[in-house]
Amino acid sequence: MADEDDPGAAARGSGTGALGALLLADARLPTGGHAHSATLEGAVAAGLAAEQVPAYIRARLRTVARTEAAAAVLALRAGRGRPVDYGPVQAALAARTPSAPLRAASASLGRGLTRLARALCPGHPAVAGLATATAATPGLRPLRPVVLGALGAALGLTEAQTARAVLYDDAQTVTAAALKLHPGDPLATVRWVVDAADDIEAAVRAAVAVAAPADLPARSAPLIDQWAAEHAQSTRRLFIA
Amino acid sequence: MLDPTVSPVSPAPPGRRTLRLGVAGPVGTGKSSLIATLCRELSGEFAMAVVTNDIYTDEDARFLRSAGVLAAERIRAVETGACPHTAIRDDITANLDAVEDLEEEFAPLDLVLVESGGDNLTATFSPALIDAQIFCLDVAGGGDVARKGGPGIGRADLLVVNKSDLAPYVGVDVGRMVADAEKARDGRPVLALSRSDAASVAELCAWVRGVLAEHVDGRHVPQDPGPMAPHSHGPAGHDHGHEHGPHTHVH
């Protein structure tokens, strides 16, 4: 298949890259994403108004989502390496996710993706190697970007496709949750994502440019960490995090 | 703590000791109460745990914990992102994670009950999440609900017509409702239940013991009620071609 987005696909003998990018970005993927709000529920509880949601999406794309996209690219490279070792990227990402509830949320999403990866391509070294991530952070399952990178390697995604899948999913998680938390016109939320295109592409370029786990940007967002902590203590939640 | 060498994919029923039993049905029909009854009656006999799904996280879990029928740490609530039907059918991740965690932490478990968030008549559990399911209606919801059918009413492993003690107050003929349900269920069991009627509670427990025994023996095969019930158009029993249909089909 000629694929202008992924000229390397044919060389790798894989035709699933472009399809895989769509699969990983699809909210219908049965990996638990529908129960997550990317901390929007905590933000709304703290007073974030409907008209501030696009700014919240942009803030994530410039901070936590950018770190996660870069981690996914590093994981993709690790998944293509032999032997596969996700330990360095898992440890680097865990260290840059200071909020315990957000580490738990990422591990929960990673668990759903791991279940999918093992059902889809159990024998692939990039998938079999996921145990190396947990070995690096005992007690913490592989984080979402690490498993997305592993799936990206197994499905033949490019680095840009993998990073974009992380960023797009982050933005869409917010918009889907916004419809439950600030009921409004579903069509209007599509505009929010389209308007985030420049931020998404800037984050894709930044993610692809990261050379090694030590260079992983440490872009945390203290207010998001705070909202996530408060949300974890709340007893009336729609979303896990 | 998790073991990274263990596959997160659930083993197929023959390799798994625990019976995963779902309880679905519309809001307010008494699912939590039914689960509390099962815990009260069976937790001395079987190692049990419960997963609840709610609109807001943990209302049902708190009800069950406060009922004191099972150790609080064996009752876990999962968030469903305001989509309780999705969480038991289209994307069962959060529920499967909770079930697997309970099975690991309290191994060996005999029985895990999964309570769906109260939903409409079309919501049933995926067989990838549970081995058997109870669908719960109540007499106060109206005597005609069983006749209306739906996948849970038609093909859940057990249909419970709950709160039978309220029937005289809401003008419902329980016998009629059960007969309607039996007709819709093609011989599958129907139970008129009231938690104040010891005989009906004993029947419920006997049914659970029976399914558990079949599961342990490997004789129980999970059935999917399907997202929608097949139903036939035209005169009942009138056998003719597809154009006019003896067809049972799915919408």
Side-chain angles (χ1 to χ4, degrees):
Chain A
M1 178 180 75
D3 183 348
E4 60 193 22
D5 290 335
D6 184 11
R12 288 195 305 278
S14 168
T16 55
L19 179 64
L22 293 174
L23 270 178
L24 295 185
D26 194 327
R28 290 164 293 191
L29 200 67
T31 53
H34 76 97
H36 286 255
S37 78
T39 318
L40 183 69
E41 188 172 22
V44 168
L48 190 92
E51 59 271 20
Q52 295 175 295
V53 175
Y56 182 70
I57 292 171
R58 279 198 304 279
R60 292 187 60 86
L61 290 172
R62 293 171 187 184
T63 56
V64 287
R66 186 172 286 212
T67 295
E68 295 208 329
V73 168
L74 291 170
L76 174 76
R77 290 181 197 146
R80 288 180 188 155
R82 297 292 179 271
V84 174
D85 184 8
Y86 296 111
V89 60
Q90 165 91 357
L93 179 59
R96 287 159 178 76
T97 312
S99 155
L102 291 181
R103 282 197 304 277
S106 183
S108 158
L109 288 164
R111 184 179 184 177
L113 288 165
T114 300
R115 189 181 282 116
L116 171 71
R118 291 189 175 159
L120 210 54
C121 26
H124 196 287
V127 173
L130 280 168
T132 60
T134 299
T137 54
L140 187 64
R141 292 173 190 271
L143 299 167
R144 178 185 78 121
V146 174
V147 190
L148 270 174
L151 268 166
L155 293 171
L157 266 65
T158 65
E159 294 182 359
Q161 284 171 331
T162 303
R164 197 176 292 110
V166 171
L167 297 157
Y168 170 78
D169 184 52
D170 195 277
Q172 282 289 49
T173 298
V174 174
T175 62
L179 289 173
K180 303 280 170 50
L181 299 166
H182 272 312
D185 180 358
L187 298 180
T189 67
V190 180
R191 166 62 59 195
W192 300 344
V193 177
V194 172
D195 285 348
D198 288 348
D199 276 304
I200 289 176
E201 292 310 313
V204 167
R205 288 190 295 275
V208 169
V210 170
D215 303 326
L216 186 65
R219 294 212 177 188
S220 66
L223 204 44
I224 291 176
D225 292 346
Q226 173 68 24
W227 290 333
E230 288 164 6
H231 179 72
Q233 298 303 317
S234 117
T235 54
R236 290 176 64 79
R237 293 191 296 266
L238 291 177
F239 297 97
I240 294 169
Chain B
M1 205 71 346
L2 72 133
D3 178 351
T5 63
V6 171
S7 162
V9 177
S10 1
R16 172 160 48 75
R17 166 197 175 120
T18 312
L19 174 73
R20 300 171 178 175
L21 176 62
V23 180
V27 143
T29 55
K31 295 182 296 297
S32 299
S33 168
L34 188 155
I35 285 176
T37 299
L38 285 174
C39 291
R40 192 178 296 118
E41 298 293 322
L42 297 176
S43 61
E45 194 175 332
F46 301 114
M48 294 174 64
V50 177
V51 176
T52 66
N53 292 200
D54 266 307
I55 294 183
Y56 282 110
T57 328
D58 63 346
E59 304 271 339
D60 286 338
R62 283 192 285 172
F63 164 81
L64 285 171
R65 289 182 192 124
S66 67
V69 290
L70 198 63
E73 65 273 17
R74 288 174 179 249
I75 301 165
R76 202 148 297 173
V78 304
E79 295 87 351
T80 61
C83 295
H85 48 280
T86 301
I88 63 168
R89 183 149 201 105
D90 305 308
D91 183 353
I92 59 175
T93 307
N95 275 306
L96 206 47
D97 288 351
V99 167
E100 289 174 0
D101 285 348
L102 286 166
E103 287 178 3
E104 187 182 315
E105 285 170 43
F106 299 102
L109 282 180
D110 299 304
L111 179 62
V112 175
L113 301 170
V114 183
E115 177 183 359
S116 79
D119 212 309
N120 58 40
L121 290 173
T122 63
T124 57
F125 285 91
S126 163
L129 175 61
I130 51 86
D131 303 307
Q133 56 192 305
I134 296 172
F135 200 81
C136 188
L137 296 177
D138 73 327
V139 295
D144 58 341
V145 176
R147 200 170 50 243
K148 286 180 180 172
I153 291 173
R155 291 188 305 280
D157 298 85
L158 174 67
L159 179 70
V160 163
V161 176
N162 206 5
K163 309 183 195 174
S164 61
D165 51 317
L166 297 184
Y169 307 105
V170 292
V172 167
D173 178 342
V174 176
R176 179 76 256 156
M177 197 169 168
V178 168
D180 283 347
E182 281 172 341
K183 202 185 295 175
R185 286 174 57 74
D186 204 18
R188 294 179 186 85
V190 181
L191 174 64
L193 178 71
S194 162
R195 63 182 172 183
S196 58
D197 171 11
S200 70
V201 171
E203 269 191 76
L204 173 68
C205 293
W207 180 83
V208 172
R209 283 190 198 97
V211 176
L212 196 45
E214 287 187 6
H215 172 74
V216 169
D217 293 349
R219 283 178 289 133
H220 176 77
V221 180
Q223 302 294 321
D224 185 359
M228 282 297 285
H231 59 273
S232 38
H233 289 260
H238 187 154
D239 194 18
H240 47 81
H242 179 261
E243 292 304 297
H244 315 282
H247 56 298
T248 55
H249 64 171
V250 173
H251 284 284

